């Protein structure tokens, strides 16, 4: 008789907790909180603006690229009014970008591995530098 009462009490406690949990869940799901009482305001995310210290992109050539042509095109984008200096082992070129900041130069490379240095000198005097490695080979892979 005692064992039956203990089992019945435990079942009653379990059913009571289950009913209370379902009731609390339903209450929370239907509860509406006005936006003004939370104190949280949602703003649009900030839009990034280019900073002259980090606005040089080099579209081609890709770093560590292989080519079977002696002449390559070096192109990219920077701030208008900047000066681009492109240096290879055999030549240095100074380029002025277009009014939109685009630049493109044709360069002849040597056999083997070539290091190409692309530097943008911005109107405020700061510089940004990229180094590209381009290998010339006539072998088929």
């Amino acid at each position: 008789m005692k064992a039956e009462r203990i089992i019945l009490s435990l079942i009653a406690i379990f059913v009571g907790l289950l009913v209370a949990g379902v009731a609390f869940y339903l209450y929370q799901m239907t509860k509406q909180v006005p936006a003004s009482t939370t104190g949280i305001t949602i703003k649009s995310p900030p839009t990034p603006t280019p900073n002259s210290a980090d606005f040089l992109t080099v579209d081609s050539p890709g770093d560590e690229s292989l080519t079977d042509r002696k002449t390559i095109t070096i192109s990219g984008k920077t701030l208008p009014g900047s000066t681009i200096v492109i240096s290879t082992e055999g030549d240095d070129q100074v380029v002025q970008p277009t009014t939109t900041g685009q630049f493109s130069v044709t360069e002849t490379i040597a056999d083997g591995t070539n290091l190409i240095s692309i530097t943008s000198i911005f109107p405020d005097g700061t510089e940004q530098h990229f180094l590209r490695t381009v290998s010339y080979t006539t072998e088929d892979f």
Side-chain angles (χ1 to χ4, degrees):
M1 189 75 128
K2 268 188 168 180
E4 293 170 349
R5 284 188 179 180
I6 293 174
I7 292 173
L8 188 58
S9 296
L10 290 175
I11 291 173
I13 291 172
F14 177 73
V15 170
L17 288 174
L18 184 66
V19 169
V22 169
F24 182 73
Y25 175 76
L26 291 174
Y27 170 74
Q28 289 295 327
M29 293 302 293
T30 59
K31 186 176 171 182
Q32 297 290 329
V33 178
S36 63
T37 61
T38 61
I40 299 172
T41 56
I42 299 173
K43 297 179 181 179
S44 62
T47 55
T49 56
N51 182 355
S52 66
D54 61 359
F55 193 64
L56 170 63
T57 59
V58 179
D59 300 328
S60 72
D63 195 22
E64 297 183 7
S65 60
L66 282 171
T67 184
D68 59 353
R69 297 184 178 164
K70 293 288 274 183
T71 304
I72 62 168
T73 300
I74 303 165
S75 64
K77 186 172 183 178
T78 188
L79 289 175
S82 300
T83 302
I84 305 295
V85 179
I86 299 173
S87 300
T88 60
E89 295 170 9
D91 191 21
D92 293 328
Q93 291 188 36
V94 177
V95 179
Q96 295 298 321
T98 64
T99 56
T100 60
Q102 302 286 337
F103 65 91
S104 180
V105 171
T106 303
E107 184 71 38
T108 303
I109 59 174
D111 292 345
T113 303
N114 294 273
L115 294 175
I116 301 170
S117 171
I118 302 120
T119 304
S120 179
I121 304 169
F122 301 110
D124 63 359
T126 60
E127 298 180 7
Q128 188 172 4
H129 178 78
F130 276 97
L131 188 62
R132 295 285 194 244
T133 304
V134 178
S135 296
Y136 171 78
T137 183
T138 56
E139 293 183 30
D140 290 330
F141 292 100

